[in-house]
Amino acid sequence: MRFSRTLIPTAKEAPSDAVLPSHIYLLRAGFIQSVGAGLYNFLPLGKRSLDRVRQVVKEELDAAGCQEVDLAFVTPAELWRESGRFEKYGKELLRFTDRKENEFVLGPTHEEMMVNLVRQSVKSYKQLPLHLYQIKTKFRDEIRPRFGLMRGREFLMEDGYSFHKDEEDMKREFEHMEATYSRIFTRLGLDFRVVEADSGAIGGSGSKEFMVLAESGEDEIVICDGCDYGANVEAAVRAPREAPSYEEGEEPIMSPGDFHTPDTKTIEALADFFHIDSHHLIKAVAQKARYDEGREEIVLFFLRGNDDLEETKACNAVGANELVDVSEEELRAAGLTPGYMGFIGLPEGIEYRIDRELKGESNLIMGANREEYHRVGVTVPDFGEHFADLVTVKAGDRCAHCGGRLSTTRGIEVGHIFQLGTRYSEPLGATFLDENGKSRPFVMGTYGIGVSRLLAAIIEQHHDDRGCIWTRESAPFDLEIVVSNIANDEEREAAEKLYRTLRERGVEVLLDDRKERFGFKMKDFELIGIPLGIVVGKKLSEGKVELIVRDGLERMDLSLDEAVEAVLERV
Ligand code: ATP
Ligand code: MG
């Protein structure tokens, strides 16, 4: 392609709301154009990169035995009612009605649609397993669309759904997909980590995320220095925290009873009051849990004074859709005493959860559910169902698997695989006949890749202060040939010849044939970030051109033939 004939509107500046390198460079280098919050046009370069990434995804999935389909984007609300998600999904789900007052939603994900497809056409175990996927626009009315392609409202996703006769076969596919997705991200040149993810009610290792390691990532991930354990902080577990080490005779000794503790509403004040490490204190975090149909309820979460509540875990512990703050007035109206709450002696009917690490622990101090009083010398009895994992795992904590040190880092979620089970097949009545002629719901897995987000993730991980550095299989072109002075006939002709030769050999080439200053064209080369460049310039009189590797900007003078060979070797 000729630069002079292609729409590549590069710019010196990016709008001030663009803060991440990927957002800034994708806009400045003319890959995308903003249309509105979370909405983007893909310009020719952006479309080419998107198509190449999509191609890698498709090739690997097809090779793994998955079949591509293409489902309607506008989906009947009726299906969403069948699964119960029409009410549950919240405002991210864009709902609308047509001229006949039929209700629809724009697909944010396609479980219902895919189950509906399969329930109509798959009847027997002999047709299983089956893995269908699509690479298609999704719409989620995100509350905070930001960072360009990273969190759009309209975005491109690969979403796959597998159907099995039993758990065992679904788990086999889950592992197969972990390997397949890993191959995709490796081909795209990404440094990533597969981590355990929050699976809501399913728990265990039923869900994994693929995290591209980058400082700018929105997700915090916990990794172990001793083994390959990695988890999203939302799902991370640790070995129970150890008590602080005390010199002999220095351990806190508590005589049980209620103590008058005025002005000790915070953990810091309480620790000061008793001159004690907050490890021995129990903190109460009050929240309001929101459930379906707008139902709300106050929930108290109890954990150690030196721990923090992990919101996703807390939400899962009570099966809520979300947690929101609750005011002191609301707590008092429920008969509670903010600043002095404990799990022993709570008013009737107050819902609460206790961090599971506290089970059986003793020598603790906790609110006495009485103004200005704390209970000292508490031992935590077995509260059964009230125990749950609630803590935020932090750097320095110990690994639950090997005892190694955990540390935290940040990642961009580019993929998610999920052991779904019968969560959708059951309510939608999607069943098959097993070997014994018995009707059973499909056991499902679901899988997703943020295809458009990948473009942003690639640039977050691969850029310098001049612009993008595309990886081999994500670049819009393999090579850019820059003609130093287009008015010079020899230069132009040599460049044209290189362009023809390399294109004939299957190389995707962008020829910068614009009547612009050389410096200006080189700045664009660096900004756009095509992996290889060839400058046809003054050294042509000695029969040489300059090959530039964008990553590191390494330069070599080569003869024309050598340059062709060097390009073919690298592409
Ligand atoms: P996130 O936690 O980032 O909101 P999610 O867990 O809601 O994502 P999934 O439902 O697992 O996302 O969707 C599968 C993949 O789609 C994600 O791994 C991510 O790469 C991509 N994705 C999700 N939301 C967006 C978005 N708003 N913009 C771009 N890509 C997205
Ligand atoms: Mg996810």
Side-chain angles (χ1 to χ4, degrees):
M1 203 117 78
R2 288 164 194 280
F3 208 131
S4 61
R5 310 292 317 142
T6 313
L7 181 65
I8 308 176
T10 57
K12 273 217 172 72
E13 308 282 340
S16 58
D17 67 327
V19 287
L20 290 194
S22 61
H23 191 188
I24 293 171
Y25 290 147
L26 288 172
L27 285 168
R28 280 190 51 208
F31 280 71
I32 56 170
Q33 187 179 58
S34 168
V35 189
L39 304 173
Y40 291 90
N41 290 333
F42 283 81
L43 304 183
L45 288 183
K47 177 74 169 103
R48 290 182 73 97
S49 278
L50 191 67
D51 282 351
R52 291 194 79 183
V53 169
R54 181 192 188 123
Q55 186 58 24
V56 170
V57 173
K58 179 171 169 52
E59 279 171 18
E60 292 297 335
L61 289 176
D62 289 351
C66 313
Q67 299 163 59
E68 190 173 3
V69 290
D70 199 348
L71 272 54
F73 176 43
V74 171
T75 67
E78 198 36 49
L79 287 174
W80 289 76
R81 288 220 165 79
E82 278 187 60
S83 71
R85 278 210 292 187
F86 190 73
E87 289 76 23
K88 213 180 167 91
Y89 210 98
K91 292 207 164 133
E92 273 184 28
L93 186 65
L94 190 67
R95 301 148 216 250
F96 58 97
T97 48
D98 68 6
R99 63 170 80 199
K100 293 178 180 152
E101 297 298 317
N102 295 315
E103 288 179 293
F104 291 92
V105 311
L106 283 191
T109 163
H110 266 80
E111 279 82 4
E112 286 84 352
M113 286 287 283
M114 204 61 92
V115 172
N116 179 52
L117 181 156
V118 167
R119 73 179 170 185
Q120 294 177 51
S121 33
V122 179
K123 303 288 178 200
S124 159
Y125 74 95
K126 289 180 198 146
Q127 294 166 279
L128 301 176
L130 180 67
H131 187 138
L132 301 174
Y133 76 95
Q134 56 175 352
I135 300 175
K136 193 161 180 98
T137 300
K138 295 281 174 296
F139 190 89
R140 294 183 186 179
D141 199 358
E142 297 269 358
I143 186 164
R144 241 173 267 107
R146 55 183 178 164
F147 305 145
L149 297 183
M150 201 74 93
R151 185 166 296 283
R153 291 197 295 165
E154 188 180 302
F155 58 97
L156 190 66
M157 181 162 132
E158 180 276 318
D159 48 326
Y161 308 83
S162 67
F163 296 81
H164 309 270
K165 65 178 170 47
D166 55 27
E167 283 274 318
E168 195 188 331
D169 195 54
M170 181 267 286
K171 288 193 169 148
R172 176 204 49 77
E173 183 72 2
F174 182 78
E175 280 172 26
H176 181 46
M177 280 302 122
E178 178 174 344
T180 304
Y181 275 25
S182 295
R183 264 200 303 282
I184 290 171
F185 302 129
T186 304
R187 271 183 69 178
L188 291 172
L190 288 163
D191 181 14
F192 66 97
R193 189 121 182 177
V194 188
V195 302
E196 285 180 18
D198 166 47
S199 349
I202 296 171
S205 52
S207 159
K208 288 185 177 175
E209 286 166 344
F210 296 77
M211 293 288 183
V212 168
L213 303 179
E215 267 316 303
S216 57
E218 286 187 278
D219 285 276
E220 184 168 357
I221 58 182
V222 172
I223 53 181
C224 177
D225 67 3
C227 68
D228 64 3
Y229 177 71
N232 190 312
V233 72
E234 295 173 352
V237 294
R238 68 180 186 198
R241 203 185 250 241
E242 283 158 28
S245 47
Y246 295 103
E247 300 280 318
E248 198 109 346
E250 297 278 299
E251 307 91 346
I253 303 165
M254 299 185 189
S255 36
D258 284 4
F259 256 72
H260 187 223
T261 52
D263 298 323
T264 56
K265 287 189 166 185
T266 63
I267 286 294
E268 295 73 45
L270 192 63
D272 276 353
F273 186 94
F274 284 106
H275 302 291
I276 199 168
D277 192 296
S278 57
H279 185 82
H280 303 283
L281 307 178
I282 294 180
K283 159 198 290 187
V285 183
Q287 296 275 278
K288 208 157 45 184
R290 288 205 173 133
Y291 299 92
D292 289 352
E293 280 111 42
R295 189 168 69 82
E296 290 188 337
E297 177 181 52
I298 291 172
V299 187
L300 302 181
F301 297 98
F302 294 97
L303 50 159
R304 277 195 204 277
N306 53 2
D307 275 327
D308 291 317
L309 185 69
E310 211 308 308
E311 196 170 324
T312 302
K313 290 182 180 179
C315 231
N316 290 342
V318 291
N321 298 336
E322 64 170 338
L323 296 175
V324 292
D325 286 342
V326 54
S327 70
E328 279 212 23
E329 291 69 48
E330 286 172 286
L331 293 175
R332 287 189 200 287
L336 292 163
T337 45
Y340 299 95
M341 297 183 290
F343 48 74
I344 298 171
L346 278 173
E348 194 73 22
I350 293 289
E351 195 53 86
Y352 64 97
R353 291 291 180 276
I354 305 168
D355 181 55
R356 64 179 183 187
E357 280 183 37
L358 285 169
K359 191 171 181 172
E361 293 288 283
S362 52
N363 255 346
L364 297 159
I365 300 176
M366 167 173 89
N369 293 315
R370 183 176 158 200
E371 269 331 314
E372 303 200 335
Y373 276 85
H374 276 88
R375 181 165 295 189
V376 173
V378 173
T379 296
V380 185
D382 190 349
F383 275 93
E385 302 280 276
H386 290 280
F387 287 111
D389 178 15
L390 299 175
V391 297
T392 307
V393 174
K394 292 185 189 144
D397 286 349
R398 292 280 179 193
C399 176
H401 302 275
C402 76
R405 275 278 169 223
L406 297 175
S407 62
T408 61
T409 178
R410 302 200 72 84
I412 301 166
E413 182 193 325
V414 290
H416 194 170
I417 56 176
F418 206 100
Q419 299 181 16
L420 198 54
T422 56
R423 161 71 186 84
Y424 293 89
S425 51
E426 232 163 324
L428 273 88
T431 58
F432 66 98
L433 294 178
D434 71 8
E435 290 92 328
N436 305 315
K438 197 169 157 255
S439 170
R440 290 203 293 169
F442 295 104
V443 180
M444 291 176 62
T446 100
Y447 319 87
I449 293 180
V451 178
S452 52
R453 178 181 284 184
L454 270 169
L455 262 54
I458 289 165
I459 297 309
E460 280 309 306
Q461 213 174 55
H462 301 272
H463 67 269
D464 60 15
D465 58 0
R466 297 166 191 228
C468 306
I469 304 174
W470 291 97
T471 59
R472 199 166 52 83
E473 296 213 56
S474 63
F477 291 92
D478 302 316
L479 168 73
E480 179 171 338
I481 299 175
V482 181
V483 188
S484 173
N485 176 10
I486 201 74
N488 178 313
D489 289 343
E490 278 101 69
E491 285 184 20
R492 205 187 57 239
E493 276 157 28
E496 291 282 353
K497 184 156 176 261
L498 269 176
Y499 179 60
R500 273 196 312 276
T501 310
L502 284 162
R503 276 170 39 118
E504 276 161 16
R505 306 287 296 268
V507 181
E508 297 277 352
V509 190
L510 179 67
L511 174 67
D512 194 347
D513 56 348
R514 291 175 299 169
K515 290 195 189 73
E516 297 283 356
R517 280 181 302 106
F518 175 62
F520 180 83
K521 293 199 269 196
M522 284 314 289
K523 277 216 161 60
D524 275 354
F525 165 73
E526 289 166 352
L527 177 63
I528 292 167
I530 292 166
L532 294 173
I534 290 181
V535 175
V536 182
K538 287 205 184 72
K539 288 186 190 132
L540 191 64
S541 55
E542 303 158 31
K544 303 249 165 172
V545 292
E546 190 177 43
L547 179 78
I548 308 176
V549 179
R550 175 63 188 86
D551 190 2
L553 292 172
E554 186 196 337
R555 288 153 197 270
M556 295 154 250
D557 288 337
L558 301 173
S559 73
L560 288 159
D561 290 344
E562 285 167 343
V564 169
E565 284 314 308
V567 169
L568 290 175
E569 225 166 76
R570 287 176 164 84
V571 170

